[in-house]
Amino acid sequence: MSSDAGEIDALLRGDSVLQQLKAISDLRLCDRCLGRLFSKRFRGTENAAIGERARCTHGIPETMEVDCYLCHGLFKKMDELSKLPVDELGKWEYDTLWVGSRLEFGARLREQEITARSQFTDAEPLKVEVNRELGKRLSSLTGKEGKMTNPDMLVVIDVAFSAFQLEPSSLFVYGRYRKLVRGIPQTKWPCRKCHGKGCSHCNFKGKMYDTSVEELIAPPLMNATAAEEHFFHGMGREDIDAIMLGNGRPFIMELSKPHVRKIDLVEVGREINAINAGRVDVSDLRFSSKAEVRELKAASPVKRYRITFRALGKINKQLLCEVITKLSGTKLSQRTPLRVAHRRADLVRERTVLECKLIDMQDDAVTLEVEAESGTYIKELITGDGGRTVPSVSQELGMECQVISLDVSEVSTGVEGKW
Ligand SMILES: [Zn+2]
Ligand SMILES: [Zn+2]
């Protein structure tokens, strides 16, 4: 026993323990189930050993496990139950595992009854011991390490029905993508009308666009991992008709239920870039985690854009230069643009234009480079969106301006070396 034996005896002999045991004296419990009532007080000591000591101390007659009111001899089945998933587990690549269990409903009721009557409120739950016993056996059968948080493989064993379920954790792959052509959304865009089934609205494709950055990047990853599904997590997104340049936009691809985890990301990256040449490419692929997905989604990167617009009138170059100078460092007041108002809350937000530079001016077409805070509506900075964005290039020039193209030239997170 790792707890001091004298200490255990003293506690077991106490008056309150005697009262508690009396309250359930008509229920016959095996040493293991008896010991579990105290196990949180004597960490590191086997439940059966504590139970035996409690029984001897109080002169309680011994009950065999098969006759136990609570467990009905469940622990005799541990070897058999832990063998159930072994063959199926052999089809998956994983390094760490954790075992959970589903107990017979009656066992949970009997356990509640014991707690309610005895007031052993800090007893170890039956399920915890079952999980531990199954886990030990499965680790030794498979040679895989037990790991409670984020195991590669969660095995749930239903002890009442001798069934099991495997829940492999997702594999996460980080990278940066560049989108070299217009007209591709970032993620698969299911048809609003049929939700993917196919209808006349979507030309029976079930989606609104033929492909997406996600769908172009995913196949080599899906093939390499033999995963069931993929989910794309981007650090923000650019418009469908915007090109994404610079060193790319950070993303994490989540591969759900992967059969293979140890994949060669250099090779996969090469394959992605070969099949998508001229459309999409990826770089910096590495393994990631669910926690990083949350960080990525919460990031507010500064972005640099290249935007070309046309003014409906003759632009005075000197005035244009004055406007550009004025906009650098200006705080914009932006009411939710009309083009997105149907899916976003209508509110006014303030965003700062960090830098605005003239790149090119030809006849009526002007190209600017704009660096702005995360969440700035860049098209509206040019058009003014009917007075909803103030100030704007259109308002300052005193003439209507139309955006011809908008590209993202850099997504910069400010987290050096991380993204
Ligand atoms: Zn028992
Ligand atoms: Zn449809």
Side-chain angles (χ1 to χ4, degrees), residues 31-51:
D31 285 352
R32 198 188 270 275
C33 291
L34 200 55
R36 202 177 309 110
L37 300 172
F38 305 95
S39 70
K40 283 198 184 163
R41 305 186 204 183
F42 309 124
R43 282 186 194 283
T45 307
E46 288 278 334
N47 288 337
I50 304 171

Side-chain angles (χ1 to χ4, degrees), residues 29-30 32-33 36 65 68 70-73 75:
L29 297 179
C30 70
R32 198 188 270 275
C33 291
R36 202 177 309 110
E65 288 194 20
C68 174
L70 176 54
C71 69
H72 292 185
F75 291 93

Side-chain angles (χ1 to χ4, degrees), residues 191-208:
C191 172
R192 251 193 299 275
K193 294 214 166 139
C194 66
H195 302 285
K197 276 184 269 174
C199 68
S200 59
H201 181 66
C202 60
N203 265 332
F204 301 95
K205 284 181 287 194
K207 51 187 181 178
M208 300 311 292

Side-chain angles (χ1 to χ4, degrees), residues 328-345:
S328 285
T330 290
K331 197 166 268 185
L332 302 177
S333 159
Q334 294 200 301
R335 187 165 162 202
T336 305
L338 281 176
R339 65 187 167 96
V340 299
H342 63 283
R343 56 192 165 91
R344 300 223 178 125

